[in-house]
Amino acid sequence: MRLKGLLKVACAAVMTLTLASCGGGGGGGGGAEPQLTRMGGALQGRSLALTNSVTSFAGTSGSADGAATQARFNFPGDVASDGTNLYVADTGNSVIRKVVLATGATSTVAGLAGVTGSGDGTAATARFNYPTGIAISSDKSKLYVCDTGNNTIRSINVASGAVTTLAGTAGVVGFANGIGGAASFSSPSGIATDGTNLYVADTLNHRIRKIALASAAVTTLAGSGVQDLADGTGVAARFDAPRGIASDGTSLYVADQGNSAVRQIVIATGVVSTLVEPDAVDAIQSPAGIATDGTNLFVTDAGRNNLRKVVIATQAVSTLAGDQAGTPGAVNATGGAARFSNPAGVALVAGTIYLADAGNDLLRKVSVATGGSSTLAGILGSADGVGTAAGFTSPYDLTTDGTNVYVADTNNHTIRQVSIATGAVSTLAGQADRPGSADGSGAAASFRFPSGITTDGTNLFVSDTGNNTVRKIVIATGAVSTLAGTAGAAGAADGAGSAAAFNSPNGITTDGTNLYLADSGNNSIRKIVIATGAVSTLVPASAGLSSPYGITTNGVSLYIADSRNDRICRFTLAGSAFSPLSVSGVTLDLPSGITTDGVSLFVTNAASGSVSRIALATGAGGTVVTGLKNPNGISTDGSTLYVADAHDNAVVRVR
């Protein structure tokens, strides 16, 4: 599977897309229009003459204010409520948002979406750096924020949007008690208040800190700084990366994430005990957000993608919403039929839990009484529609036949079709949030994290990564069959059809006769004869590839995005020569997707959020696009580049 850690956190680039000067290309001019050839999942034969036009083609980027279904978020980390509004630490956007509970209408309280910084100021003039924790004062006049990337605690006046720094100093990472800026933190990520003090989960210091609101004096309430699980009083206790924190006025309840435990701290004495043990029958794998009604705790399990309930008196644990198996998704339903993705902070208001569904960029609601879930704001990431009204969830690859763009919508377990003429998005095969391996037509078929796709113009060929198989889809009918590999069986065997085995196959391309596959888990390149399903190994692991992802061909050579080695490799089909491509003028940074117009290569750099252009003849390169978040798949219809941005759940068009 692709590098999931890049989906949400390794994305410090600003939101604005820019087009830079690029080397190794050109084009245009007069004369007859060249004949385009379908090859490598793209249309080749004309050197792309790109301008500075970069637009969203389909899906949604994540910072828009507006009504409930118009709002967009970017990995929301935590929520707090005054009973009328929900306040959101919109982590990926580095802003603080407000959502009206009654309507879902969303606005920005402070910060500027996509722009990080540390400056105090009012509303959009203030800056944050990936804030992940938020709490509201007892009089509802102030918000308190864990500004995680700045290692500070910030205060926001709700009425004016004025932001000040309460404790810590931006850019200073450490552990020190003291007053205001004299104190220091290390990635604080959870915060709660009892009206007199703030309590901070100082995550990478493995401590719980206390801040007196009257004086901004910072002390340590519990934890020694040693990464461990131990009960005790004050600094005799030990935590491991505590994250969420809640208070009932007498005790604190801590999501001790690194320990897979839930802890209780008596505020008056600092006595720490463990409520939910890591080896319990109903253990919480990765507790993230936590809220309490005084009798129960409500804890998000980011590892199992569900919401748990803990009875404080008995420590009994049950699942309120989401399934026990941890299946991710974005489904509104009751109890175990609901699906979440990396759920984070929670807030409890009058029998309703409001939940930051971080992996889906949504704010969700769950009824305590019934376990029924619904969406408060944002758009479910599987909706069909036109342009930005459609939703994707981590689309990792795409291809085109010149009429449509076809998208491997990875975390929705579906294959989507986007009309180039209209931007209309529909689901060609699979059913959102229903992973599986069944062959069939349309919604009757199922996939498991498909993350590579190519076409010969009549069929689509899909790397069904989670199933370790290669699938075939007839475009006209949506009929899905398994061409090679056996679902659930990982391996490296050559052979025909189900006798072959793969290990996390990703990028895939075709010359019309054969498929060429980046078998990422095996660090190899495989060949599949389309007519027979016969699989052979072209480039073995001994060649030195490390997590190869993208692959394309011009009919003469294969070009491989050797991701972990930060290079492009070439394999000649006629002579079987394999070597790194000599590239100048551009730095590759976790290259992930690759395509060609027959003259240049276009490579997505997942870590730096950019697209590079490299001349096939000379290796001279330059930067085409910057400012993307996690670009992966890339293709061209002969005049336009299409890029799948897995982080922003969108397909971007570059002309």
Side-chain angles (χ1 to χ4, degrees):
M1 212 173 298
R2 299 230 180 211
L3 302 178
K4 299 297 182 185
L6 286 171
L7 286 185
K8 295 293 182 184
V9 292
C11 51
V14 298
M15 294 289 289
T16 304
L17 303 181
T18 61
L19 196 76
S21 61
C22 55
E33 186 73 8
Q35 180 67 40
L36 298 181
T37 302
R38 184 175 294 109
M39 183 77 66
L43 298 184
Q44 301 178 18
R46 174 172 50 208
S47 181
L48 294 186
L50 301 175
T51 70
N52 61 349
S53 175
V54 183
T55 58
S56 291
F57 175 51
T60 59
S61 58
S63 63
D65 290 335
T69 57
Q70 295 174 338
R72 300 291 183 265
F73 303 89
N74 190 341
F75 208 71
D78 199 10
V79 291
S81 180
D82 59 9
T84 303
N85 304 297
L86 193 70
Y87 296 94
V88 183
D90 193 1
T91 306
N93 280 321
S94 292
V95 295
I96 305 303
R97 315 285 290 280
K98 181 177 85 170
V99 182
V100 179
L101 294 180
T103 65
T106 302
S107 57
T108 300
V109 175
L112 185 62
V115 181
T116 59
S118 60
D120 291 338
T122 299
T125 65
R127 296 291 181 268
F128 299 87
N129 191 356
Y130 299 104
T132 59
I134 191 168
I136 191 164
S137 64
S138 55
D139 65 1
K140 305 177 184 179
S141 66
K142 290 185 177 180
L143 299 171
Y144 301 104
V145 176
C146 286
D147 195 1
T148 307
N150 283 321
N151 298 291
T152 57
I153 306 302
R154 315 288 290 278
S155 173
I156 306 174
N157 183 295
V158 171
S160 66
V163 179
T164 57
T165 301
L166 182 64
T169 299
V172 176
V173 182
F175 167 71
N177 290 322
I179 297 176
S184 58
F185 304 86
S186 183
S187 295
S189 61
I191 190 167
T193 183
D194 59 9
T196 303
N197 303 297
L198 296 175
Y199 302 96
V200 178
D202 193 3
T203 302
L204 295 189
N205 278 322
H206 313 293
R207 293 175 167 100
I208 305 302
R209 313 289 290 280
K210 173 181 168 182
I211 307 174
L213 287 171
S215 63
V218 180
T219 55
T220 300
L221 178 65
S224 65
V226 177
Q227 196 172 354
D228 200 356
L229 174 63
D231 292 339
T233 300
V235 296
R238 294 179 179 179
F239 301 86
D240 184 355
R243 185 171 171 186
I245 188 168
S247 174
D248 62 9
T250 302
S251 293
L252 299 174
Y253 301 96
V254 179
D256 193 4
Q257 190 167 56
N259 279 320
S260 298
V262 176
R263 316 290 291 280
Q264 180 178 11
I265 307 173
V266 179
I267 294 173
T269 63
V271 172
V272 179
S273 58
T274 302
L275 288 180
V276 181
E277 300 278 356
D279 57 356
V281 174
D282 292 315
I284 301 174
Q285 184 181 93
S286 184
I290 191 167
T292 182
D293 60 8
T295 302
N296 305 295
L297 301 175
F298 302 95
V299 184
T300 53
D301 189 343
R304 288 201 172 100
N305 299 299
N306 58 24
L307 176 65
R308 314 296 287 280
K309 174 183 173 182
V310 182
V311 180
I312 296 172
T314 65
Q315 291 85 57
V317 180
S318 58
T319 301
L320 183 61
D323 75 344
Q324 299 259 23
T327 306
V331 177
N332 286 321
T334 298
R339 295 290 181 270
F340 306 92
S341 178
N342 199 2
V346 288
L348 179 63
V349 180
T352 299
I353 296 166
Y354 295 91
L355 182 151
D357 192 4
N360 286 319
D361 297 326
L362 295 173
L363 299 180
R364 310 280 291 278
K365 300 192 298 182
V366 179
S367 167
V368 172
T370 67
S373 62
S374 58
T375 300
L376 173 66
I379 185 170
L380 284 172
S382 62
D384 290 338
V386 177
T388 57
F392 301 90
T393 303
S394 297
Y396 268 107
D397 201 11
L398 48 73
T399 190
T400 182
D401 60 7
T403 301
N404 300 297
V405 172
Y406 302 95
V407 181
D409 195 3
T410 305
N411 282 8
N412 277 323
H413 313 288
T414 55
I415 304 302
R416 315 289 291 281
Q417 175 179 295
V418 189
S419 166
I420 291 175
T422 67
V425 179
S426 57
T427 301
L428 181 64
Q431 189 173 355
D433 305 311
R434 292 292 184 269
S437 59
D439 290 337
S441 293
S446 57
F447 302 85
R448 189 176 300 274
F449 299 108
S451 58
I453 190 168
T454 192
T455 185
D456 62 5
T458 301
N459 305 296
L460 299 174
F461 301 95
V462 178
S463 294
D464 196 1
T465 307
N467 283 321
N468 294 304
T469 57
V470 174
R471 314 288 291 278
K472 173 184 171 182
I473 307 173
V474 179
I475 294 173
T477 64
V480 179
S481 57
T482 301
L483 182 63
T486 299
D494 289 339
S498 60
F502 308 96
N503 188 355
S504 294
N506 277 279
I508 189 168
T509 192
T510 184
D511 58 11
T513 301
N514 302 303
L515 300 174
Y516 303 98
L517 178 72
D519 194 2
S520 300
N522 285 320
N523 293 313
S524 62
I525 303 301
R526 315 288 291 278
K527 172 184 170 182
I528 307 171
V529 180
I530 294 174
T532 64
V535 178
S536 57
T537 299
L538 294 181
V539 182
S542 59
L545 291 170
S546 182
S547 295
Y549 283 130
I551 185 169
T552 193
T553 184
N554 61 355
V556 176
S557 298
L558 301 178
Y559 296 92
I560 304 152
D562 189 10
S563 295
R564 288 290 190 184
N565 286 323
D566 291 326
R567 65 182 184 175
I568 304 301
C569 293
R570 176 169 51 200
F571 177 84
T572 58
L573 292 170
S576 299
F578 173 81
S579 63
L581 192 66
S582 179
V583 174
S584 62
V586 68
T587 299
L588 300 174
D589 193 0
L590 202 69
S592 184
I594 188 168
T595 195
T596 182
D597 60 6
V599 178
S600 300
L601 297 173
F602 298 89
V603 182
T604 57
N605 296 290
S608 63
S610 63
V611 177
S612 300
R613 181 174 193 163
I614 302 168
L616 286 173
T618 65
T623 300
V624 178
V625 176
T626 62
L628 297 169
K629 290 298 184 66
N630 184 13
N632 281 272
I634 186 168
S635 188
T636 179
D637 61 4
S639 61
T640 300
L641 285 175
Y642 299 92
V643 181
D645 193 330
H647 179 281
D648 273 350
N649 298 318
V651 176
V652 172
R653 181 162 50 192
V654 183
R655 288 174 165 161

